[in-house]
Every structure is written in structure tokens, then in C-alpha cells.
Amino acid sequence: MTHGKQLLAVLGATGSVGVNTLEVVARHPDRFGVFALTALSRVDLLEQQCVQWKPRYAVLGEAAAAKDLQQRLRAQGVATEVLSGPRALMEIAAHPDVTTVMAAIVGAAGLESCVAAARAGKRLLLANKEALVVGGRLFMNAVRDGAAMLLPIDSEHSAIFQCLPEDRSAWPARIDHIVLTASGGPFRTRPPASLHDVTPAEAVAHPNWVMGRKISVDSATMMNKALEVIEARWLFELQPEQVRVVIHPQSVIHSMVVCRDHSVLAQLGTPDMRVPIAYGLAFPERIQSGASQLDFAAMQGLSFEPADRARFPGLYLAWDALKAPEGSAAVLNAANEMAVAAFLDGEIRFTDIHRINEETISAVLPTAADNASIADLLALDARARTIARQLIERVTC
Ligand code: NAD
Ligand code: MG
């Protein structure tokens, strides 16, 4: 390990969170070195990042793409070794020289590398909410058994974490409940009757945040908030009813803790992922993030409204899944990943996403055996995907 520096593996380096992470890291060359960068398939961007950061390893999804990148880097005199496939991701995440893993892969595809990092006791910066939604208790057990330091990167969870004392054992006595804020996405005021005509381009155009396509669609359906409710349940060890949601269109308050005495602590800032990323990187210190400051004088006001069940039915699946047999959240997540991909590919309508999710949950009932290991959870995930796919095909024909 480079002496005194954190050495990072950025999993999902070419994505929105990955790129923001490298921007923060670039401001602090004295604190951080880059050991590995990974991507599924964006070879050109990963090549640029490797030329800039000269990591020891890079990982791509497919062997052919890895070979291509390896040749390109050699031609430029860059000594990075390029690997491929999910096993390489796990090895990088658990590599003894890595101190810090940024988990910024999207979807359940990131679960195994997250668990590998947790078991290896890394400082684990978790953006990949689906990994925790699917892994649930087993993920948290891996964090505990590996004595990993799990730091939330999702802005709402970072906000809650910033409002809580460092000593986790003080949390249960302190928290009455938490309130996750949601912008309401691009369709907060669109007539519900017109939602079935929403196009993928409209759905990914988020009013306040620039993000990857999948999470942008999830923000439009509010499934993103549903996943965040489940994520918060595990991160902060709360009962389902201790996690609440309010719509706050300005995205200035990133979330709140309501304490036992009903004092409310909130974290505020511009909607810029570099703030939670910088906090995760430097915790418990604070470092420059590059985000602009809030301008209170220019602010028009902060408003709040309840999340309308008719408009955002997907949100309410979170509490259903948390109260259903364990594993139900993994089923919900798998259905949603399939439905969002089908919507982005033009196969189903925006409003079909919720139907697919709801029908998949009804069709796939997890048992204790589905929760015995991470491999069992991934098998459950695969079963749910098969059912969701059948439902999608029924919609399209
Ligand atoms: P993105 O689509 O922009 O990037 C995803 C990254 O993961 C890319 O580098 C991609 O190459 C890689 N990837 C995708 N599928 C993979 C697979 N099967 N195997 C290996 N690598 C794979 O996504 P994003 O917006 O950066 O989001 C990443 C994660 O962070 C998601 O879980 C999202 O919910 C969460 N998150 C994102 C934001 C944000 O502002 N973008 C905010 C909060 C949480
Ligand atoms: Mg969030």
C-alpha cells in the first residue's frame, strides 16, 4: 500500500457516481491513490481513465473487450493489467492492497463484489443500493464479520449518517424515525392519466440530479425511493415504520432524523453527489468536494408534500416487501431491473413497470432456503427475473 494514502478500487468507474468519485479524488492526490478501475463495456472512457490514473488493474465485463483495452494501453506505455468478468471484480474488491472500495456498479450485478469487499474488511463506500436491497441481512452480516466500515453514498443515507453520532450503538436510543426526502422526479405534477404515454427520454430527464439511466427511471416511478427505504432499514437497523418519505421538490434537504425528543436534524446542500462522495472518502474528516454552496438569499423557499399513492404506487411496495418474507426485496429489485430495462428498450410502457413489479412479487414467494447464502439470493434473483421476463412478454404481445 502507498504509505499513508487510501488506495481505491472504483467499481463502476465509468458511471455517473464513478466519474464523480474520480473528480473528488483528483482534488486530493495527497490522500488517495487509484489501484483499480472497472466498467462493464465503455472501453473508450475506461481507457482515458487508465491513461490518467495508471491503476494497477482495470476490469471489463467481457474478455474480448479486456484484450482490446490491454493492447491499447500497452501501445501508450500504460502498465495497467486488464482483467475481465465477475470473479475478477470480487478479487479486486478484496485485494489486500486495496483500502477503500467505491461500490458504484448499478443493480444486483454489484452484490458479490460488495460482499467480497465487506468480508475483506474494506472501507466500503456504498452507492450500489440494489446490492444492499438484495443482500439485506446477509450483506450486513458480511460487514460485521469482516469488520468493514460501511459508508453510505446515496445522498439521503449520507444525510442521515451525517446527522447521527459516530457511535452506532447510540443510534437506536436516539432515532424516533427518519424522513427520506424525494424530489418527486419529472412527473410530480403531470396528470396521472397521461403517465402511460411517458417516453424513455422524458423519464430520464430528472429535474435536479444528473444520474445514470436506470436510477433516473427509478426516480420517475419513485421505485428509487422504495429501494432507498429498504436500504435505510438495513443501514440504520430500523423497523419498516421508522422509515418515512416526504416529497421535497427543491432537493435542498437531503434527509432528516427525527429524534426521540422530536427534535429534527437535517442535512442540506446543493444536489451534487460529490458531497456524499467526499464525506465517504474522508470520514470522519471533511474535505473539499468541488460542489457549489447553497445560496440561501436566492432560494425561493422549501416545500413538502406527501407522496401520492395513485401517482407513485411503486413507492409503497417498499413497506410491503419489508413486511413480507425475507427475500421479497430481492424479488422486487429483480423485477424492477427487468421492467426498467424493458421500458428503456421500448418494449413496455412506463406504467407497466409497476404492474410487472407487483405481479412478480405475487408470483415469487421466497422461503428461508432462498436466504441461506448470497448464492441462494442470487438464484432467487434469477428466478424472479425469469418470471418478470415472462410477464413482460405477455404485455408486449
Ligand atoms: P451508471 O449507469 O451511470 O453507471 C454504472 C456503472 O456500473 C458503469 O461504470 C457500468 O459500466 C457499471 N456496470 C453496469 N452493469 C454492470 C455489470 N453487470 N457488471 C459490472 N459493471 C457494471 O449508474 P450510476 O448512476 O453511477 O449509479 C450507480 C449506482 O449508484 C446505482 O446503484 C445507483 O442507484 C446508485 N446511486 C447513483 C446516484 C447518482 O447520482 N448517479 C445517486 C445515488 C445512488
Ligand atoms: Mg438517493
Side-chain angles (χ1 to χ4, degrees):
M1 177 183 144
T2 311
H3 190 70
K5 277 190 185 181
Q6 289 189 50
L7 266 191
L8 262 78
V10 183
L11 312 181
T14 56
S16 164
V17 172
V19 167
N20 275 309
T21 302
L22 292 173
E23 274 184 34
V24 177
V25 166
R27 291 171 181 271
H28 305 281
D30 51 322
R31 283 178 173 261
F32 308 109
V34 175
F35 180 83
L37 297 172
T38 88
L40 181 62
S41 55
R42 289 182 69 187
V43 179
D44 290 347
L45 181 52
L46 192 60
E47 177 187 357
Q48 282 174 30
Q49 292 178 334
C50 288
V51 170
Q52 181 180 353
W53 292 99
K54 305 194 171 48
R56 187 147 12 130
Y57 293 104
V59 184
L60 276 163
E62 301 290 335
K67 199 171 159 203
D68 175 26
L69 178 61
Q70 186 72 79
Q71 281 167 357
R72 293 195 209 179
L73 292 175
R74 279 216 189 104
Q76 296 173 80
V78 177
T80 302
E81 188 178 336
V82 187
L83 311 171
S84 64
R87 183 143 292 281
L89 276 181
M90 290 166 71
E91 283 166 11
I92 291 296
H95 193 288
D97 288 354
V98 168
T99 58
T100 305
V101 173
M102 166 53 85
I105 289 174
V106 58
L111 175 59
E112 285 182 295
S113 50
C114 279
V115 170
R119 287 191 180 132
K122 304 301 183 194
R123 182 183 184 102
L124 175 53
L125 277 53
L126 185 72
N128 183 194
K129 67 191 82 185
E130 298 92 344
L132 185 52
V133 168
V134 176
R137 188 180 304 282
L138 293 178
F139 186 123
M140 294 308 288
N141 287 349
V143 169
R144 192 197 54 220
D145 296 347
M149 184 190 274
L150 182 59
L151 296 162
I153 297 300
D154 216 344
S155 57
E156 297 77 1
H157 306 73
S158 174
I160 301 290
F161 188 66
Q162 292 180 55
C163 292
L164 289 171
E166 276 177 39
D167 177 8
R168 291 183 74 98
S169 68
W171 294 358
R174 176 166 301 222
I175 305 173
D176 184 84
H177 65 275
I178 64 171
V179 182
L180 302 181
T181 52
S183 68
F187 309 133
R188 183 175 62 88
T189 55
R190 180 167 164 150
S194 74
L195 287 176
H196 68 284
D197 287 332
V198 162
T199 64
E202 288 172 325
V204 299
H206 196 279
N208 304 346
W209 297 90
V210 180
M211 309 181 286
R213 282 162 68 78
K214 192 261 178 184
I215 184 176
S216 297
V217 176
D218 285 347
S219 298
T221 58
M222 273 188 84
M223 266 306 296
N224 180 50
K225 211 52 56 181
L227 299 174
E228 291 181 357
V229 167
I230 299 167
E231 182 186 14
R233 178 261 177 272
W234 291 113
L235 279 173
F236 305 111
E237 293 175 55
L238 299 170
Q239 295 303 313
E241 51 280 0
Q242 284 180 290
V243 187
R244 301 186 193 166
V245 170
V246 70
I247 290 187
H248 166 48
Q250 298 81 15
S251 297
V252 169
I253 295 179
H254 296 309
S255 279
M256 300 176 263
V257 176
V258 181
C259 302
R260 293 282 177 195
D261 57 4
H262 294 176
S263 172
V264 182
L265 303 174
Q267 185 263 342
L268 286 70
T270 46
D272 188 325
M273 284 305 290
R274 289 175 298 179
V275 176
I277 290 168
Y279 191 65
L281 284 168
F283 173 82
E285 292 172 43
R286 299 259 178 187
I287 56 172
Q288 293 222 345
S289 65
S292 58
Q293 296 184 27
L294 277 180
D295 181 352
F296 286 100
M299 226 177 264
Q300 299 294 314
L302 302 180
S303 61
F304 304 93
E305 56 195 63
D308 174 10
R309 202 176 188 124
R311 183 186 296 276
F312 298 119
L315 169 64
Y316 294 87
L317 294 177
W319 291 278
D320 295 348
L322 284 175
K323 289 172 184 165
E326 236 168 273
S328 300
V331 173
L332 173 60
N333 177 71
N336 186 56
E337 286 193 34
M338 296 298 284
V340 170
F343 167 68
L344 285 171
D345 286 345
E347 287 187 273
I348 60 171
R349 287 176 180 273
F350 182 73
T351 41
D352 290 329
I353 296 172
H354 177 65
R355 278 179 46 203
I356 304 289
N357 291 347
E358 211 176 22
E359 288 177 26
T360 307
I361 297 182
S362 308
V364 184
L365 298 175
T367 64
D370 293 316
N371 291 282
S373 69
I374 295 290
D376 293 318
L377 277 175
L378 288 173
L380 174 66
D381 167 281
R383 235 165 66 220
R385 280 171 202 260
T386 305
I387 299 292
R389 188 63 224 167
Q390 287 166 1
L391 292 166
I392 289 164
E393 271 153 31
R394 212 171 296 160
V395 169
T396 51
C397 59

